[in-house]
Amino acid sequence: MLLKGVRPYGEGDPVDVLIRDGVIAEIGNDLEHDGEHDGDVIEGGILLPGFVDLHTHLREPGREDTETIATGSKAAALGGYTAVFAMANTDPVADNAVIVEHVARRGREVGLVDVHPVGAVTVGLKGEMLAELGTMAKSSANVRVFSDDGHCVHDPLIMRRALEYSKSLGAVIAQHAEEPRLTVGAQAHEGENAARLGLQGWPAAAEESIVARDCILAQQVGARLHVCHVSTAGTAEILKWAKARGAANVPQAGRPGISAEVTPHHLLLTDERLETYDPINKVNPPLRTQTDVDALRRALADGTIDCVATDHAPHAVQDKDCEWSAARPGMLGLQTALSVVVKTMVETGLLDWRGVARVMSEKPAEIAGLTDHGRPVEVGEPANLTLIDPGAKWVVRGAELASVAGNTPFEGMELPGVVTATILRGRVTASRGRIDA
Ligand code: DOR
Ligand code: ZN
Protein backbone atom coordinates (compact mmCIF):
# COMPACT_ATOMS: atom_id res chain seq x y z
CA MET A 1 0.00 0.00 0.00
CA LEU A 2 0.98 3.58 -0.50
CA LEU A 3 0.62 6.58 1.80
CA LYS A 4 0.74 9.72 -0.34
CA GLY A 5 1.74 13.12 0.95
CA VAL A 6 1.95 12.25 4.64
CA ARG A 7 4.10 13.94 7.28
CA PRO A 8 5.95 11.58 9.63
CA TYR A 9 5.81 13.08 13.16
CA GLY A 10 4.17 16.16 11.62
CA GLU A 11 7.62 17.36 10.56
CA GLY A 12 8.97 18.60 7.23
CA ASP A 13 7.42 18.47 3.80
CA PRO A 14 4.92 15.73 2.87
CA VAL A 15 6.44 12.47 1.61
CA ASP A 16 5.16 9.19 0.19
CA VAL A 17 5.53 5.97 2.17
CA LEU A 18 5.43 2.65 0.37
CA ILE A 19 4.56 -0.40 2.47
CA ARG A 20 5.27 -3.88 1.24
CA ASP A 21 5.00 -7.24 3.04
CA GLY A 22 4.14 -5.53 6.30
CA VAL A 23 7.28 -3.42 6.29
CA ILE A 24 8.04 0.20 5.36
CA ALA A 25 9.76 -0.40 2.01
CA GLU A 26 10.43 3.13 0.79
CA ILE A 27 10.04 6.74 1.89
CA GLY A 28 10.42 9.43 -0.77
CA ASN A 29 8.78 11.66 -3.33
CA ASP A 30 6.52 10.62 -6.21
CA LEU A 31 6.60 6.95 -5.27
CA GLU A 32 4.60 4.68 -7.54
CA HIS A 33 2.41 1.93 -6.29
CA ASP A 34 2.43 -1.20 -8.37
CA GLY A 35 -1.35 -1.68 -8.57
CA GLU A 36 -1.16 -5.48 -8.30
CA HIS A 37 -0.75 -6.11 -4.64
CA ASP A 38 -0.73 -2.55 -3.30
CA GLY A 39 -4.48 -2.18 -3.09
CA ASP A 40 -4.74 0.81 -0.82
CA VAL A 41 -3.70 4.38 -1.41
CA ILE A 42 -4.28 6.75 1.49
CA GLU A 43 -3.63 10.45 1.17
CA GLY A 44 -2.52 13.07 3.65
CA GLY A 45 -2.18 13.34 7.39
CA ILE A 46 0.37 13.08 10.16
CA LEU A 47 2.02 9.67 10.34
CA LEU A 48 2.97 8.23 13.73
CA PRO A 49 3.96 4.79 14.98
CA GLY A 50 0.82 2.82 15.95
CA PHE A 51 -0.34 3.47 19.50
CA VAL A 52 0.25 0.99 22.31
CA ASP A 53 -2.07 0.87 25.33
CA LEU A 54 -0.61 -0.66 28.47
CA HIS A 55 -3.94 -0.59 30.29
CA THR A 56 -7.15 -1.84 28.69
CA HIS A 57 -10.05 -3.75 30.21
CA LEU A 58 -11.50 -6.00 27.52
CA ARG A 59 -13.86 -7.81 29.97
CA GLU A 60 -13.61 -11.19 28.22
CA PRO A 61 -13.99 -13.72 29.75
CA GLY A 62 -16.88 -12.96 32.06
CA ARG A 63 -18.47 -9.62 31.21
CA GLU A 64 -19.11 -9.90 27.51
CA ASP A 65 -22.25 -7.84 28.09
CA THR A 66 -19.93 -4.81 28.46
CA GLU A 67 -17.03 -5.57 26.08
CA THR A 68 -15.50 -8.48 24.20
CA ILE A 69 -12.07 -8.98 22.74
CA ALA A 70 -13.70 -8.40 19.34
CA THR A 71 -15.48 -5.13 20.21
CA GLY A 72 -12.55 -3.86 22.29
CA SER A 73 -10.19 -4.62 19.39
CA LYS A 74 -12.42 -2.57 17.09
CA ALA A 75 -12.39 0.34 19.54
CA ALA A 76 -8.61 0.06 19.74
CA ALA A 77 -8.12 0.04 15.96
CA LEU A 78 -10.48 3.01 15.55
CA GLY A 79 -8.53 4.84 18.24
CA GLY A 80 -5.23 4.35 16.39
CA TYR A 81 -3.91 1.47 18.49
CA THR A 82 -1.93 -1.42 17.06
CA ALA A 83 -1.26 -3.16 20.40
CA VAL A 84 -3.15 -3.30 23.69
CA PHE A 85 -2.54 -4.94 27.05
CA ALA A 86 -5.67 -6.62 28.41
CA MET A 87 -5.95 -6.33 32.18
CA ALA A 88 -6.30 -9.45 34.29
CA ASN A 89 -9.43 -8.56 36.30
CA THR A 90 -11.70 -10.70 34.18
CA ASP A 91 -14.00 -13.46 35.45
CA PRO A 92 -12.34 -15.90 35.79
CA VAL A 93 -9.24 -13.87 36.64
CA ALA A 94 -6.27 -14.15 34.25
CA ASP A 95 -4.03 -15.62 36.93
CA ASN A 96 -3.03 -18.78 35.07
CA ALA A 97 -1.72 -19.97 31.72
CA VAL A 98 -5.09 -21.25 30.46
CA ILE A 99 -6.79 -17.86 30.66
CA VAL A 100 -3.90 -15.78 29.31
CA GLU A 101 -3.49 -18.19 26.40
CA HIS A 102 -7.22 -17.97 25.71
CA VAL A 103 -7.14 -14.16 25.65
CA ALA A 104 -4.10 -14.12 23.37
CA ARG A 105 -5.71 -16.64 21.01
CA ARG A 106 -8.98 -14.68 20.79
CA GLY A 107 -6.96 -11.55 20.09
CA ARG A 108 -5.16 -13.27 17.21
CA GLU A 109 -8.45 -14.63 15.80
CA VAL A 110 -9.96 -11.14 15.77
CA GLY A 111 -6.72 -9.85 14.27
CA LEU A 112 -7.37 -6.10 14.47
CA VAL A 113 -4.79 -5.27 17.10
CA ASP A 114 -2.10 -7.24 18.93
CA VAL A 115 -3.76 -8.27 22.21
CA HIS A 116 -1.26 -8.99 24.97
CA PRO A 117 -2.75 -10.44 28.13
CA VAL A 118 -1.60 -9.01 31.46
CA GLY A 119 -1.23 -11.72 34.10
CA ALA A 120 -2.49 -11.26 37.67
CA VAL A 121 0.16 -10.83 40.37
CA THR A 122 -1.81 -12.72 43.01
CA VAL A 123 -4.26 -15.61 42.83
CA GLY A 124 -7.77 -14.26 42.20
CA LEU A 125 -6.46 -10.68 42.68
CA LYS A 126 -6.84 -11.35 46.39
CA GLY A 127 -3.41 -10.04 47.34
CA GLU A 128 -2.66 -13.12 49.44
CA MET A 129 -0.71 -15.59 47.35
CA LEU A 130 1.50 -15.02 44.32
CA ALA A 131 0.04 -16.32 41.07
CA GLU A 132 2.17 -18.55 38.87
CA LEU A 133 3.98 -15.75 37.13
CA GLY A 134 6.58 -18.07 35.67
CA THR A 135 4.02 -20.37 34.08
CA MET A 136 2.25 -17.41 32.49
CA ALA A 137 5.55 -15.96 31.29
CA LYS A 138 6.55 -19.28 29.73
CA SER A 139 3.12 -19.95 28.23
CA SER A 140 2.46 -19.26 24.56
CA ALA A 141 0.98 -15.89 25.68
CA ASN A 142 4.50 -14.87 26.70
CA VAL A 143 3.27 -12.62 29.52
CA ARG A 144 5.68 -9.83 30.47
CA VAL A 145 3.37 -7.45 32.32
CA PHE A 146 1.74 -8.49 35.59
CA SER A 147 -0.90 -6.49 37.46
CA ASP A 148 -3.70 -6.91 39.99
CA ASP A 149 -5.24 -3.72 38.56
CA GLY A 150 -8.54 -2.84 40.14
CA HIS A 151 -6.80 -3.93 43.33
CA CYS A 152 -3.53 -2.90 44.92
CA VAL A 153 -0.86 -5.44 45.83
CA HIS A 154 -0.94 -3.87 49.28
CA ASP A 155 1.04 -6.38 51.35
CA PRO A 156 4.64 -5.15 51.18
CA LEU A 157 6.13 -8.60 51.50
CA ILE A 158 4.02 -9.98 48.64
CA MET A 159 4.93 -6.93 46.56
CA ARG A 160 8.59 -7.52 47.27
CA ARG A 161 8.33 -11.17 46.28
CA ALA A 162 6.44 -10.23 43.12
CA LEU A 163 9.19 -7.77 42.17
CA GLU A 164 11.89 -10.37 42.84
CA TYR A 165 10.09 -13.00 40.81
CA SER A 166 9.31 -10.64 37.94
CA LYS A 167 12.95 -9.57 37.80
CA SER A 168 14.03 -13.12 37.10
CA LEU A 169 11.44 -13.28 34.31
CA GLY A 170 12.41 -9.98 32.69
CA ALA A 171 8.89 -8.77 33.44
CA VAL A 172 7.37 -5.63 34.95
CA ILE A 173 4.89 -5.29 37.81
CA ALA A 174 2.19 -2.69 37.03
CA GLN A 175 0.81 -1.47 40.32
CA HIS A 176 -2.64 -0.01 40.98
CA ALA A 177 -1.47 2.15 43.87
CA GLU A 178 -4.19 2.38 46.49
CA GLU A 179 -3.58 1.70 50.18
CA PRO A 180 -6.89 -0.05 50.91
CA ARG A 181 -6.97 0.92 54.58
CA LEU A 182 -7.13 4.56 53.50
CA THR A 183 -9.89 4.11 50.92
CA VAL A 184 -12.48 2.08 52.82
CA GLY A 185 -15.84 3.25 51.46
CA ALA A 186 -14.16 5.91 49.32
CA GLN A 187 -16.32 7.46 46.59
CA ALA A 188 -14.45 10.49 45.28
CA HIS A 189 -11.30 12.59 45.65
CA GLU A 190 -10.93 13.63 49.30
CA GLY A 191 -11.29 17.39 49.18
CA GLU A 192 -13.70 20.27 49.26
CA ASN A 193 -16.10 18.99 46.63
CA ALA A 194 -16.53 15.51 48.12
CA ALA A 195 -16.95 16.98 51.59
CA ARG A 196 -19.64 19.40 50.45
CA LEU A 197 -21.54 16.67 48.61
CA GLY A 198 -21.21 14.17 51.45
CA LEU A 199 -19.12 11.64 49.52
CA GLN A 200 -16.54 9.57 51.41
CA GLY A 201 -13.05 10.73 50.42
CA TRP A 202 -10.24 8.89 48.55
CA PRO A 203 -7.14 10.71 49.81
CA ALA A 204 -4.11 11.45 47.65
CA ALA A 205 -2.01 9.83 50.39
CA ALA A 206 -3.53 6.42 49.62
CA GLU A 207 -1.86 6.55 46.20
CA GLU A 208 1.30 8.40 47.15
CA SER A 209 2.21 6.21 50.13
CA ILE A 210 2.08 3.05 47.99
CA VAL A 211 4.02 4.63 45.11
CA ALA A 212 6.77 5.77 47.50
CA ARG A 213 6.95 2.35 49.12
CA ASP A 214 7.00 0.52 45.80
CA CYS A 215 9.70 2.75 44.29
CA ILE A 216 11.89 1.99 47.30
CA LEU A 217 11.15 -1.74 47.08
CA ALA A 218 11.74 -1.90 43.33
CA GLN A 219 15.06 -0.11 43.61
CA GLN A 220 16.17 -2.28 46.49
CA VAL A 221 15.31 -5.43 44.54
CA GLY A 222 16.59 -4.01 41.24
CA ALA A 223 13.29 -4.84 39.59
CA ARG A 224 10.98 -2.98 37.23
CA LEU A 225 7.93 -1.17 38.56
CA HIS A 226 5.28 0.50 36.43
CA VAL A 227 2.86 2.82 38.23
CA CYS A 228 -0.64 2.69 36.77
CA HIS A 229 -2.91 5.72 36.33
CA VAL A 230 -0.99 8.37 38.29
CA SER A 231 -3.59 10.84 39.56
CA THR A 232 -1.96 13.29 41.97
CA ALA A 233 0.65 16.04 41.90
CA GLY A 234 2.30 14.36 44.89
CA THR A 235 2.79 11.10 43.00
CA ALA A 236 4.53 13.01 40.21
CA GLU A 237 6.89 14.50 42.81
CA ILE A 238 7.65 11.06 44.24
CA LEU A 239 8.33 9.67 40.77
CA LYS A 240 10.69 12.52 40.05
CA TRP A 241 12.57 11.82 43.26
CA ALA A 242 12.67 8.05 42.66
CA LYS A 243 13.82 8.37 39.06
CA ALA A 244 16.59 10.78 40.04
CA ARG A 245 17.64 8.38 42.77
CA GLY A 246 17.62 5.25 40.64
CA ALA A 247 20.94 4.57 38.98
CA ALA A 248 19.52 2.81 35.95
CA ASN A 249 15.98 4.01 35.56
CA VAL A 250 15.56 3.45 31.84
CA PRO A 251 12.59 1.12 31.70
CA GLN A 252 13.80 -1.55 29.31
CA ALA A 253 13.04 -5.23 29.38
CA GLY A 254 15.30 -6.99 31.83
CA ARG A 255 16.63 -3.70 33.21
CA PRO A 256 15.75 -2.14 36.53
CA GLY A 257 13.65 0.97 36.37
CA ILE A 258 10.54 2.84 37.32
CA SER A 259 7.92 3.95 34.81
CA ALA A 260 4.47 5.46 35.06
CA GLU A 261 1.35 6.18 33.04
CA VAL A 262 -1.41 8.79 33.16
CA THR A 263 -4.90 8.40 31.71
CA PRO A 264 -6.53 10.86 29.30
CA HIS A 265 -9.34 11.51 31.80
CA HIS A 266 -6.89 12.52 34.53
CA LEU A 267 -5.30 14.94 32.05
CA LEU A 268 -8.59 16.70 31.32
CA LEU A 269 -11.28 16.25 33.98
CA THR A 270 -11.47 17.39 37.61
CA ASP A 271 -13.61 16.72 40.67
CA GLU A 272 -15.67 19.79 39.74
CA ARG A 273 -17.61 17.19 37.81
CA LEU A 274 -18.96 15.66 41.04
CA GLU A 275 -21.50 18.47 41.17
CA THR A 276 -24.03 16.57 39.04
CA TYR A 277 -23.70 13.31 40.99
CA ASP A 278 -23.53 11.61 37.59
CA PRO A 279 -21.64 8.31 38.07
CA ILE A 280 -20.31 8.57 34.51
CA ASN A 281 -17.57 10.56 36.31
CA LYS A 282 -16.85 7.85 38.88
CA VAL A 283 -13.45 6.29 38.32
CA ASN A 284 -10.65 4.76 40.33
CA PRO A 285 -8.39 6.56 41.12
CA PRO A 286 -10.89 9.43 41.21
CA LEU A 287 -10.85 12.67 39.24
CA ARG A 288 -8.71 15.10 41.24
CA THR A 289 -8.19 18.89 41.29
CA GLN A 290 -7.04 21.35 38.64
CA THR A 291 -3.71 21.60 40.50
CA ASP A 292 -3.26 17.85 40.03
CA VAL A 293 -4.29 18.02 36.36
CA ASP A 294 -1.74 20.77 35.71
CA ALA A 295 1.02 18.82 37.48
CA LEU A 296 0.18 15.62 35.56
CA ARG A 297 0.40 17.46 32.23
CA ARG A 298 3.77 18.92 33.16
CA ALA A 299 5.03 15.54 34.37
CA LEU A 300 3.99 13.88 31.11
CA ALA A 301 5.66 16.63 29.10
CA ASP A 302 8.96 16.39 30.97
CA GLY A 303 9.08 12.58 31.05
CA THR A 304 8.48 12.13 34.79
CA ILE A 305 5.38 10.27 33.65
CA ASP A 306 6.44 8.11 30.72
CA CYS A 307 3.27 7.46 28.80
CA VAL A 308 -0.48 7.70 28.36
CA ALA A 309 -2.59 4.60 29.04
CA THR A 310 -6.35 4.58 28.67
CA ASP A 311 -7.64 2.46 31.59
CA HIS A 312 -10.48 1.80 29.12
CA ALA A 313 -13.12 0.43 31.50
CA PRO A 314 -16.48 -0.46 29.93
CA HIS A 315 -19.44 -0.87 32.29
CA ALA A 316 -23.04 -1.93 31.80
CA VAL A 317 -25.79 0.71 31.86
CA GLN A 318 -27.19 -0.62 35.15
CA ASP A 319 -23.74 -0.28 36.75
CA LYS A 320 -23.40 3.37 35.72
CA ASP A 321 -26.94 4.71 35.50
CA CYS A 322 -27.63 4.29 39.22
CA GLU A 323 -26.90 6.05 42.49
CA TRP A 324 -23.30 7.20 42.91
CA SER A 325 -22.32 4.81 45.69
CA ALA A 326 -23.62 1.75 43.82
CA ALA A 327 -21.98 2.67 40.49
CA ARG A 328 -18.82 0.95 39.30
CA PRO A 329 -15.73 3.04 38.67
CA GLY A 330 -14.39 3.32 35.13
CA MET A 331 -14.70 5.08 31.76
CA LEU A 332 -14.22 4.21 28.10
CA GLY A 333 -10.96 5.50 26.67
CA LEU A 334 -9.67 3.78 23.55
CA GLN A 335 -11.44 5.89 20.92
CA THR A 336 -11.04 9.24 22.68
CA ALA A 337 -7.45 8.98 23.95
CA LEU A 338 -5.69 10.63 21.00
CA SER A 339 -8.13 13.52 20.89
CA VAL A 340 -7.84 14.18 24.62
CA VAL A 341 -4.04 14.12 24.34
CA VAL A 342 -4.24 16.58 21.43
CA LYS A 343 -6.52 18.87 23.44
CA THR A 344 -4.54 18.74 26.70
CA MET A 345 -0.96 18.35 25.49
CA VAL A 346 -0.62 19.43 21.84
CA GLU A 347 -2.98 22.41 21.73
CA THR A 348 -1.43 23.67 24.98
CA GLY A 349 2.06 23.50 23.46
CA LEU A 350 3.26 20.94 26.02
CA LEU A 351 3.97 18.22 23.41
CA ASP A 352 4.69 18.23 19.70
CA TRP A 353 3.79 15.25 17.49
CA ARG A 354 7.11 13.58 18.20
CA GLY A 355 6.14 13.85 21.84
CA VAL A 356 2.79 12.26 21.10
CA ALA A 357 4.60 9.36 19.39
CA ARG A 358 6.77 9.03 22.48
CA VAL A 359 3.98 8.91 25.08
CA MET A 360 1.42 6.93 23.07
CA SER A 361 3.65 4.46 21.24
CA GLU A 362 7.40 4.35 21.86
CA LYS A 363 7.45 4.46 25.65
CA PRO A 364 4.62 2.01 26.28
CA ALA A 365 6.16 -0.44 23.78
CA GLU A 366 9.52 -0.11 25.51
CA ILE A 367 8.04 -0.58 28.99
CA ALA A 368 6.27 -3.77 27.91
CA GLY A 369 9.29 -5.03 25.98
CA LEU A 370 7.56 -5.05 22.58
CA THR A 371 10.08 -5.01 19.78
CA ASP A 372 7.69 -4.65 16.82
CA HIS A 373 5.65 -1.65 18.00
CA GLY A 374 6.70 1.87 18.88
CA ARG A 375 9.42 1.72 16.23
CA PRO A 376 10.63 4.72 14.26
CA VAL A 377 8.85 5.59 11.02
CA GLU A 378 11.78 4.45 8.87
CA VAL A 379 12.53 2.11 5.99
CA GLY A 380 12.84 -1.50 7.15
CA GLU A 381 10.63 -1.03 10.22
CA PRO A 382 7.35 -2.95 10.72
CA ALA A 383 4.40 -1.03 9.28
CA ASN A 384 2.46 -0.57 12.52
CA LEU A 385 1.24 2.97 11.97
CA THR A 386 -1.39 5.55 12.76
CA LEU A 387 -2.45 8.32 10.41
CA ILE A 388 -4.05 11.43 11.91
CA ASP A 389 -5.95 14.43 10.61
CA PRO A 390 -4.84 17.02 13.17
CA GLY A 391 -7.20 19.74 11.98
CA ALA A 392 -10.41 17.73 12.07
CA LYS A 393 -12.81 17.80 15.01
CA TRP A 394 -15.50 15.36 16.07
CA VAL A 395 -18.26 15.15 18.63
CA VAL A 396 -18.13 12.18 21.00
CA ARG A 397 -21.27 10.03 21.15
CA GLY A 398 -21.06 7.00 23.43
CA ALA A 399 -23.71 5.16 21.44
CA GLU A 400 -21.59 5.44 18.29
CA LEU A 401 -18.41 4.04 19.82
CA ALA A 402 -17.43 0.45 18.99
CA SER A 403 -17.52 -0.76 22.58
CA VAL A 404 -20.54 -2.71 23.82
CA ALA A 405 -20.79 -0.25 26.71
CA GLY A 406 -21.19 3.49 26.13
CA ASN A 407 -19.83 5.02 29.33
CA THR A 408 -17.76 7.91 28.04
CA PRO A 409 -17.31 10.99 30.23
CA PHE A 410 -16.69 13.00 27.04
CA GLU A 411 -20.27 12.60 25.74
CA GLY A 412 -21.24 15.56 23.55
CA MET A 413 -17.79 17.16 23.70
CA GLU A 414 -16.19 18.39 20.51
CA LEU A 415 -12.61 17.14 20.43
CA PRO A 416 -9.71 17.83 18.06
CA GLY A 417 -7.75 15.20 16.11
CA VAL A 418 -9.20 12.35 14.09
CA VAL A 419 -7.56 8.98 13.41
CA THR A 420 -7.91 8.54 9.66
CA ALA A 421 -6.22 5.14 9.37
CA THR A 422 -4.64 2.47 11.52
CA ILE A 423 -2.23 0.04 9.91
CA LEU A 424 -1.19 -3.27 11.48
CA ARG A 425 1.72 -5.02 9.75
CA GLY A 426 0.88 -3.30 6.49
CA ARG A 427 -2.84 -4.01 6.65
CA VAL A 428 -5.43 -1.28 7.19
CA THR A 429 -7.46 -2.23 10.29
CA ALA A 430 -9.50 0.97 10.49
CA SER A 431 -9.97 3.91 8.18
CA ARG A 432 -12.14 7.02 8.38
CA GLY A 433 -14.03 5.67 11.40
CA ARG A 434 -14.73 2.26 9.92
CA ILE A 435 -13.26 -1.14 10.60
CA ASP A 436 -11.56 -2.74 7.60
CA ALA A 437 -12.19 -6.41 8.26
O1 DOR B 1 -11.90 2.92 37.33
C1 DOR B 1 -11.40 1.80 37.31
N1 DOR B 1 -12.00 0.79 36.65
N2 DOR B 1 -10.27 1.58 37.95
C2 DOR B 1 -9.75 0.35 38.09
O2 DOR B 1 -8.73 0.23 38.70
C3 DOR B 1 -10.45 -0.81 37.55
C4 DOR B 1 -11.33 -0.44 36.43
C5 DOR B 1 -12.31 -1.51 36.07
O3 DOR B 1 -11.94 -2.68 35.95
O4 DOR B 1 -13.48 -1.17 35.88
ZN1 ZN C 1 -6.51 0.52 38.27
Side-chain angles (χ1 to χ4, degrees):
M1 70 178 297
L2 185 63
L3 310 179
K4 283 222 73 83
V6 298
R7 296 174 67 228
Y9 306 101
E11 295 168 357
D13 293 330
V15 292
D16 300 344
V17 177
L18 184 67
I19 295 165
R20 210 171 262 147
D21 301 325
V23 172
I24 299 177
E26 243 182 287
I27 300 180
N29 293 314
D30 304 318
L31 296 186
E32 296 289 327
H33 122 301
D34 78 12
E36 267 301 295
H37 59 283
D38 312 334
D40 293 297
V41 179
I42 302 179
E43 286 193 42
I46 289 179
L47 186 63
L48 299 182
F51 303 151
V52 176
D53 190 11
L54 287 178
H55 194 144
T56 313
H57 297 276
L58 293 181
R59 303 295 191 221
E60 183 178 346
R63 285 307 299 266
E64 292 84 351
D65 60 319
T66 65
E67 193 76 293
T68 66
I69 291 168
T71 58
S73 294
K74 286 184 188 172
L78 291 165
Y81 288 89
T82 51
V84 299
F85 285 75
M87 275 298 172
N89 65 339
T90 48
D91 183 12
V93 172
D95 60 4
N96 61 78
V98 174
I99 304 294
V100 292
E101 288 187 342
H102 169 78
V103 170
R105 188 177 334 111
R106 266 309 286 153
R108 278 194 301 275
E109 283 166 9
V110 174
L112 290 171
V113 58
D114 287 352
V115 176
H116 295 281
V118 173
V121 177
T122 68
V123 175
L125 309 174
K126 288 188 172 18
E128 291 163 2
M129 200 181 11
L130 274 190
E132 293 196 2
L133 310 192
T135 314
M136 289 187 271
K138 284 173 194 125
S139 75
S140 65
N142 197 22
V143 178
R144 288 295 176 274
V145 181
F146 294 94
S147 182
D148 272 4
D149 182 64
H151 303 264
C152 181
V153 182
H154 60 87
D155 181 319
L157 183 58
I158 294 197
M159 186 59 182
R160 181 182 171 174
R161 295 274 179 268
L163 288 164
E164 287 168 347
Y165 205 177
S166 68
K167 181 186 179 185
S168 71
L169 299 170
V172 59
I173 302 289
Q175 174 73 295
H176 168 118
E178 175 183 357
E179 168 49 57
R181 295 277 291 150
L182 292 174
T183 60
V184 176
Q187 295 293 332
H189 170 64
E190 183 176 290
E192 252 174 63
N193 286 310
R196 189 160 37 82
L197 299 170
L199 294 169
Q200 176 86 28
W202 198 128
E207 175 172 303
E208 292 158 8
S209 56
I210 292 289
V211 173
R213 179 201 78 177
D214 286 354
C215 287
I216 292 165
L217 280 175
Q219 289 178 336
Q220 191 213 324
V221 169
R224 295 175 56 235
L225 169 73
H226 178 71
V227 181
C228 293
H229 41 52
V230 173
S231 71
T232 78
T235 297
E237 276 178 39
I238 292 162
L239 288 167
K240 197 165 216 150
W241 164 78
K243 285 184 165 196
R245 177 178 185 262
N249 57 35
V250 185
Q252 281 178 5
R255 298 262 309 271
I258 289 162
S259 59
E261 69 189 32
V262 61
T263 71
H265 47 272
H266 289 111
L267 288 173
L268 181 59
L269 308 176
T270 69
D271 70 343
E272 294 287 327
R273 282 219 169 190
L274 296 178
E275 207 66 50
T276 60
Y277 278 107
D278 184 347
I280 200 79
N281 299 307
K282 185 169 174 179
V283 66
N284 189 17
L287 301 180
R288 305 274 185 195
T289 67
Q290 190 61 48
T291 307
D292 294 302
V293 166
D294 294 342
L296 295 174
R297 291 181 184 184
R298 280 196 305 274
L300 181 63
D302 75 15
T304 302
I305 294 174
D306 300 82
C307 66
V308 171
T310 65
D311 197 3
H312 178 82
H315 285 297
V317 173
Q318 67 270 20
D319 291 324
K320 275 306 209 182
D321 209 354
C322 57
E323 84 179 87
W324 183 281
S325 62
R328 295 199 189 208
M331 329 179 134
L332 299 186
L334 285 168
Q335 283 179 255
T336 45
L338 185 261
S339 294
V340 175
V341 168
V342 172
K343 184 179 173 73
T344 59
M345 302 299 295
V346 180
E347 290 193 341
T348 53
L350 287 165
L351 283 183
D352 56 14
W353 290 101
R354 208 166 264 277
V356 174
R358 172 166 59 82
V359 302
M360 304 227 14
S361 177
E362 293 163 10
K363 279 287 172 181
E366 187 183 321
I367 290 163
L370 298 185
T371 52
D372 50 348
H373 292 267
R375 301 293 306 164
V377 180
E378 282 171 12
V379 170
E381 295 289 351
N384 296 317
L385 300 164
T386 301
L387 204 53
I388 294 159
D389 181 345
K393 292 186 188 300
W394 63 296
V395 176
V396 181
R397 300 280 174 220
E400 290 167 11
L401 300 175
S403 292
V404 179
N407 54 301
T408 173
F410 309 114
E411 181 71 37
M413 281 178 79
E414 189 184 64
L415 294 176
V418 167
V419 173
T420 49
T422 309
I423 298 164
L424 178 65
R425 283 183 284 281
R427 187 171 70 86
V428 178
T429 53
S431 63
R432 296 248 158 234
R434 287 176 181 277
I435 290 295
D436 287 36

